[in-house]
Amino acid sequence: MASIKELSALPERLCGGHRLCGGCGAGIAVRQVLMGAGDNDVVVANATGCLEVSTTVYPYSSWNAPFIHNAFANGAATCSGVEAAYKGLKRAGKIPADKEIKFVCFGGDGGTYDIGFQSLSGAMERGHDMVYVCYDNGAYMNTGIQRSSATPHGAWATTSEVGAAQQGKEQRRKDLTSIMAAHHIPYVAQASVSHWKDLVSKAEKAFNTPGPAFINVLAPCPRGWRIPSDQTVEIARKAVQSGFWPLFEVENGTWSMTKVKGDRIPVAEFMKPQGRFKHLFKPGNEQLLEQLQRECDEYYAYIEARCNAEG
């Protein structure tokens, strides 16, 4: 991977002046991912969501790259179509044979885990030479913080309220990264905006891998997570340190974990600073907190076992 000095000299493909909220994890994730593309030409596709509506407010655009937006459900399908057209134009001699273009699609968890999963799965199964990046902020933030299948168990959202009937979302979040690994594509990774070297390195691998690649990036949303805008990276770091969001990659079927310095911390240390979990620390929810710690331990142990068995 290039040095930070070399990375800082790369052209900015997502420019300042966009309307993303202060501290938005999506913008951080996009900049780090695009650093992994180096100085290659890149075409960006974007499913509907916070990133799209905040960076393409008509008549302006914050993108310093060819950009195509499509609906919630078909970001990956659109990107795969552009990639297929590029290959067709090459075969027809309308694009020079040595002209290399990278294709990347960004989508939030709503447009990836849920609404866009069908087109994502299809694009990966067909083997398109593209990178799909999910910026996972754990809810439908763009439309009012509704729960998604990425929303953690116990988290408040506007459609997983806190009250006598329930204490936030009642279901565990979907393990999308493992699901994508089950597609047997060449490269899958889980990363976080808190560990930029790891994310940029994984993005570089993804862009340089022939065929489909997928990266799931934890990208906290200060507004939806109820945290100060200057705490985005610190909260993401606690997610990694607690084992809630282990860092790992799957290269051609081989699983490996990214080693993180220090001992694991309780998952409560990740949750307590967030307003969406504040109800968990009130009297009467002790058993739920214990359950959430067990679920975190189980997930971490599962990922660790996969990496030890196949790495």
Side-chain angles (χ1 to χ4, degrees):
M1 190 184 81
S3 68
I4 190 169
K5 185 176 181 180
E6 292 169 321
L7 292 173
S8 66
L10 292 172
E12 286 284 2
R13 295 182 174 97
L14 177 62
C15 301
H18 51 67
R19 273 73 160 182
L20 289 166
C21 299
C24 175
I28 301 171
V30 169
R31 291 187 68 209
Q32 292 180 5
V33 166
L34 290 177
M35 284 179 181
D39 57 3
N40 290 293
D41 290 332
V42 180
V43 171
V44 178
N46 195 179
T48 295
C50 289
L51 179 64
E52 175 265 323
V53 301
S54 299
T55 59
T56 59
V57 180
Y58 183 81
Y60 305 104
S61 172
S62 297
W63 295 94
N64 239 346
F67 177 90
I68 184 167
H69 159 244
N70 222 315
F72 247 134
N74 56 350
T78 300
C79 190
S80 66
V82 176
E83 183 265 355
Y86 160 73
K87 286 184 174 178
L89 290 170
K90 264 193 166 184
R91 290 192 298 269
K94 295 183 178 181
I95 293 179
D98 59 352
K99 175 72 171 177
E100 289 299 323
I101 299 176
K102 305 294 184 180
F103 298 88
V104 60
C105 182
F106 293 100
D109 50 278
T112 306
Y113 281 68
D114 298 338
I115 301 173
F117 180 75
Q118 181 178 358
S119 66
L120 168 61
S121 180
M124 298 294 102
E125 185 270 335
R126 291 191 302 273
H128 290 278
D129 190 4
M130 58 178 278
V131 180
Y132 189 100
V133 179
C134 174
Y135 60 94
D136 186 340
N137 55 29
Y140 288 86
M141 300 304 183
N142 178 47
T143 52
I145 320 175
Q146 296 90 355
R147 59 88 86 191
S148 75
S149 60
T151 305
H153 184 188
W156 165 89
T158 55
T159 50
S160 58
E161 284 286 0
V162 174
Q166 66 182 56
Q167 293 295 300
K169 188 186 173 197
E170 297 182 296
Q171 301 82 18
R172 294 176 67 165
R173 67 179 183 86
K174 185 189 292 183
D175 178 14
L176 181 61
T177 313
S178 294
I179 293 170
M180 297 314 299
H183 284 65
H184 304 292
I185 59 179
Y187 188 76
V188 173
Q190 187 156 288
S192 169
V193 296
S194 58
H195 291 69
W196 70 267
K197 287 185 180 179
D198 178 66
L199 176 50
V200 174
S201 175
K202 286 171 176 172
E204 187 174 20
K205 287 183 182 180
F207 279 115
N208 291 321
T209 295
F214 173 84
I215 307 177
N216 202 6
V217 185
L218 186 67
C221 169
R223 188 167 176 272
W225 292 25
R226 300 301 197 245
I227 59 174
S229 60
D230 62 353
Q231 291 297 301
T232 300
V233 172
E234 183 57 30
I235 293 296
R237 183 174 290 111
K238 289 181 183 293
V240 174
Q241 292 172 329
S242 67
F244 173 86
W245 193 264
L247 307 179
F248 65 96
E249 59 188 348
V250 186
E251 297 183 78
N252 295 309
T254 300
W255 293 58
S256 59
M257 287 189 79
T258 304
K259 301 300 181 184
V260 178
K261 292 182 179 179
D263 297 329
R264 281 182 60 203
I265 62 174
V267 74
E269 291 190 29
F270 159 64
M271 294 178 167
K272 198 164 189 177
Q274 302 178 54
R276 63 176 180 162
F277 291 117
K278 67 179 182 180
H279 54 283
L280 298 177
F281 298 91
K282 293 180 179 179
N285 279 330
E286 293 81 4
Q287 287 187 338
L288 180 53
L289 266 178
E290 291 174 5
Q291 181 182 349
L292 296 176
Q293 181 64 62
R294 285 195 304 272
E295 291 173 359
C296 181
D297 292 342
E298 288 170 5
Y299 177 59
Y300 187 86
Y302 158 72
I303 297 298
E304 191 173 43
R306 292 294 301 265
C307 293
N308 289 340
E310 301 177 35

